Amino acid sequence: MNGSDITVRRADIADAPELSRLIHELAKYEKMSDKCTATPESIAEMMKEPNGLLGIIAEADGKAVGMAVYSIYRLATFSGKRVLYIEDIYVEENFRGNGLGRKLFDEIISTAKELECIKIEWKCLSWNTPAQKFYHSIGGSADPEWLTYTLDLRKD
């Protein structure tokens, strides 16, 4: 990042190609390329939906090098507040360790506060210890009380 001009901003539909590219890079890193079928068109369509995909882009010298994609995915019924869910957060390898992930999270936190969300949730793969270390460093914690269940509706 030395000498780079870093910008973190909310994404719009014109960013769908870069979001798609970064999502594919993340899928490769997570060894899930075979499951990644997102296209710029599908990303743009999700961004058009009410309560659909929202994003943040991190740029270095005008090139997208990181992103966070999120949604307001549920209500916390006990509090009557919204919960912001981070679907993916990714920073290109050459830009890790320099505060860019923190800048993405700061923008997410700001957004969640604007939307009066009660909390932010996300998942992390069990083997991704660098991400876990980062999440703990910014105050995140794994919740041992709740198990995540998934019902996969894709046809194999």
Side-chain angles (χ1 to χ4, degrees), residues 35-147:
K35 294 183 187 319
C36 189
T37 59
T39 64
E41 295 77 18
S42 68
I43 298 297
E45 283 304 311
M46 286 190 290
M47 292 177 85
K48 291 177 188 175
E49 294 175 13
N51 301 316
L53 178 79
L54 300 167
I56 298 170
I57 294 280
E59 295 175 322
D61 298 325
K63 179 188 181 290
V65 297
M67 57 99 193
V69 291
Y70 61 96
S71 65
I72 307 303
Y73 86 114
R74 70 175 180 86
L75 299 176
T77 54
F78 288 4
S79 67
K81 299 283 185 177
R82 297 176 186 95
V83 176
L84 187 144
Y85 182 75
I86 302 170
E87 181 61 36
D88 288 308
I89 186 162
Y90 176 73
V91 174
E92 289 183 350
E93 188 172 0
N94 294 344
F95 291 88
R96 293 180 194 151
N98 293 305
L100 199 48
R102 180 65 209 209
K103 288 181 182 195
L104 288 166
F105 258 91
D106 286 346
E107 187 65 27
I108 290 168
I109 292 166
S110 174
T111 300
K113 287 180 179 179
E114 284 174 27
L115 296 170
E116 298 181 6
C117 293
I118 192 168
K119 62 183 170 180
I120 300 168
E121 291 183 350
W122 67 94
K123 296 180 184 179
C124 182
L125 291 165
S126 60
W127 59 261
N128 195 345
T129 53
Q132 291 171 33
K133 183 178 177 185
F134 168 70
Y135 298 144
H136 286 282
S137 77
I138 63 166
S141 61
D143 187 339
E145 295 292 319
W146 294 91
L147 300 175

